[in-house]
Amino acid sequence: MILHNFIVFEGVDGAGTSTQINMLKEKFGTTLFATSEPTSLPTGMFLRKMLSGAFPVDERTAAYLFAADRCEHVYGKGGIIEHIRNGKLVVCDRYLFSTLAYQSVSCGEEIPRLVNSPFPLPELLFYFRIDPSLSFKRVVERSAQAEIYEKADFQRRVAAQYDAVMQAYKKTEALKIITLDASLPIQETAEIIWSYLQNLPIVSV
C-alpha cells in the first residue's frame, strides 16, 4: 500500500536528512507536517533512552520496539494517516527502511522484515547516500555523546545494508526512490529535493 502525500528521508547518521526537512518546513509552512522516528510519543521516548545507552535490550527486542513506535506513528491519534486525511503533506525523517538497515545489521534480516511488512509505503523516498566515513565525521563533530549505533564500523555496515534495502525496494513500482549525493552542498541538495516536491499535488484520501 502506498500513502499519497507521504514522503520519507533516509540515510545513515550524519547524512543531512534533518537539515533538509527543516528547510522544507520554511518553504511549505502550515501545509507540511514534519515528523521523525523514533517519535516523540511515549514509545519513541522509551526508544531514545535505549539508544542513549541508558539500558540494554536484546537487538531482536529493539526491532520489535521500533515497529511498535512506528505503528503508533502511522495509525495512532495525531499520526501520519490522520495528518494526511487533514490535507497535510507529511515528511518523515526515517521510517521502516532505517529499521531494515540498522536492525538487520544487529539481529539479522528476518525479524525486521517480518514486523515491518504490514506498514504502508511512502509516495516518495529520498535516499541520502554518503560515504560513511564522511557522515561519521559529521556525527562526531556535532555530538557530545554518541548513541549506541554511532560507531564507525557499525555505520559502515549500515551504509552497505541501506544500499541493499534500496535496491530491493526499487522493484516496488508504485514507490519512487530518489538517490541523493549527500556529500553535495546543503543548498544544492535542497534544490534537487525541491524540484521533486514543488509541484506535488496534495491528494485527498
Side-chain angles (χ1 to χ4, degrees):
M1 175 186 172
I2 297 290
L3 278 182
H4 292 289
N5 305 337
F6 180 35
I7 316 298
V8 169
F9 286 12
E10 288 281 3
V12 295
D13 295 324
T17 56
S18 299
T19 298
Q20 294 298 330
I21 287 178
N22 286 333
M23 294 173 74
L24 281 180
K25 286 163 67 175
E26 295 181 7
K27 286 182 176 292
F28 277 102
T30 57
T31 61
L32 179 87
F33 174 67
T35 186
S36 63
E37 293 188 358
T39 68
S40 58
L41 300 166
T43 47
M45 297 304 292
F46 183 83
L47 270 173
R48 290 183 186 278
K49 287 183 180 180
M50 180 206 77
L51 290 170
S52 74
F55 54 85
V57 299
D58 185 271
E59 291 296 345
R60 291 163 292 190
T61 303
Y64 283 109
L65 289 171
F66 275 103
D69 185 44
R70 185 162 298 124
C71 193
E72 281 300 300
H73 195 200
V74 173
Y75 301 109
K77 183 175 174 56
I80 289 168
I81 288 179
E82 181 177 320
H83 280 281
I84 290 172
R85 286 175 175 165
N86 288 334
K88 300 283 188 177
L89 178 67
V90 176
V91 180
C92 187
D93 189 357
R94 299 275 181 87
Y95 189 53
L96 64 85
F97 311 97
S98 60
T99 294
L100 295 174
Y102 278 79
Q103 270 61 58
S104 291
V105 168
S106 56
C107 73
E109 296 181 359
E110 182 179 0
I111 292 175
R113 284 180 179 175
L114 176 66
V115 297
N116 285 285
S117 59
F119 291 115
L121 297 175
E123 182 174 7
L124 289 175
L125 168 58
F126 288 92
Y127 172 39
F128 288 60
R129 194 173 190 274
I130 190 171
D131 184 325
S133 62
L134 174 57
S135 60
F136 187 70
K137 182 183 177 193
R138 293 176 179 176
V139 169
V140 171
E141 289 173 349
R142 79 182 183 200
S143 301
Q145 182 177 357
E147 292 185 342
I148 60 172
Y149 296 139
E150 292 178 344
K151 299 179 177 68
D153 180 62
F154 188 83
Q155 289 293 313
R156 283 193 293 271
R157 293 164 64 196
V158 168
Q161 187 65 27
Y162 253 128
D163 284 345
V165 169
M166 295 303 150
Q167 192 61 39
Y169 273 95
K170 282 181 180 178
K171 300 173 185 177
T172 306
E173 292 184 5
L175 167 62
K176 184 176 180 61
I177 299 176
I178 299 101
T179 300
L180 302 169
D181 179 356
S183 66
L184 291 174
I186 291 172
Q187 189 57 45
E188 188 172 342
T189 301
E191 289 170 3
I192 295 170
I193 294 169
W194 185 241
S195 72
Y196 284 95
L197 299 186
Q198 60 183 333
N199 296 316
L200 190 71
I202 306 298
V203 181
S204 297
V205 294

